[in-house]
Amino acid sequence: MSVLAQGLQRLHQLPQGLLFMLVGGAAAATHLLTVGLLVYLADMAPLGANVLAFLVAFVVSYSGHAWLTFAQAQARGWAAVARYFAVASLSFVVNELLYAAALRWLGWNYLVSLLMVLLVVAVGTFVLSKTWAFKAPGKA
C-alpha cells in the first residue's frame, strides 16, 4: 500500500467533525490567502476579492468533503456538486453580508474580520452539507 493510500486510510478513520474542520480549515486558509493576495498584489477591494476567493476555495472544499468528510455517503457527481454549490453559495451570501457588516462597523483588520465570519458560517455549512448536499443516494 502506498504512503498516500495509507494516509488517506488514516484520515478516513478520524471523526467526521474533525475531518470537516480539517477540510474547512484548508478551504478557509485558501480563501484567506486568496483574499490577501488579491488585495495586496492586485489592489482589489476586500469584498470583491472575497467573491473570487470563494470560487477558488470552493474547489478545495468540495473535493475535501466529497472524498474525506462525507466519503461514506458516496454522494459524488454533478448532482452532489450542484447541491454543495447551493449550500456553499448560501453560506457565501451569509458570509458576504456578515463580512460587509464587520468591515463597516467593527474596524478590525479585514483578514481578522473574514476569519471570524468564516468560523460562524461553518456551523450552518456542516449541517446543510451532512443532511442534504452529501446525503447518501437513496436515503430518504
Side-chain angles (χ1 to χ4, degrees):
M1 181 178 287
S2 72
V3 173
L4 180 59
Q6 288 175 346
L8 283 173
Q9 188 177 34
R10 285 192 178 134
L11 281 173
H12 283 127
Q13 293 171 353
L14 294 174
Q16 189 177 49
L18 182 56
L19 285 171
F20 185 82
M21 287 189 289
L22 290 172
V23 170
T30 301
H31 195 133
L32 286 165
L33 180 63
T34 304
V35 167
L37 289 172
L38 289 171
V39 168
Y40 182 74
L41 296 177
D43 200 30
M44 286 185 73
L47 285 173
N50 196 36
V51 174
L52 293 177
F54 161 74
L55 296 172
V56 172
F58 174 80
V59 174
V60 173
S61 183
Y62 173 77
S63 300
H65 291 317
W67 294 98
L68 290 172
T69 310
F70 305 107
Q72 288 184 338
Q74 299 282 320
R76 297 189 190 102
W78 290 113
V81 171
R83 286 191 306 270
Y84 186 65
F85 190 77
V87 168
S89 295
L90 175 63
S91 297
F92 179 72
V93 168
V94 173
N95 166 311
E96 193 77 345
L97 291 171
L98 291 175
Y99 190 36
L103 289 172
R104 182 175 184 142
W105 291 306
L106 295 180
W108 296 349
N109 175 279
Y110 69 95
L111 289 175
V112 172
S113 295
L114 181 56
L115 179 61
M116 293 300 119
V117 167
L118 289 172
L119 292 172
V120 168
V121 173
V123 175
T125 303
F126 175 78
V127 171
L128 288 172
S129 295
K130 183 177 177 81
T131 61
W132 183 61
F134 290 104
K135 191 172 189 170
K139 295 271 183 159

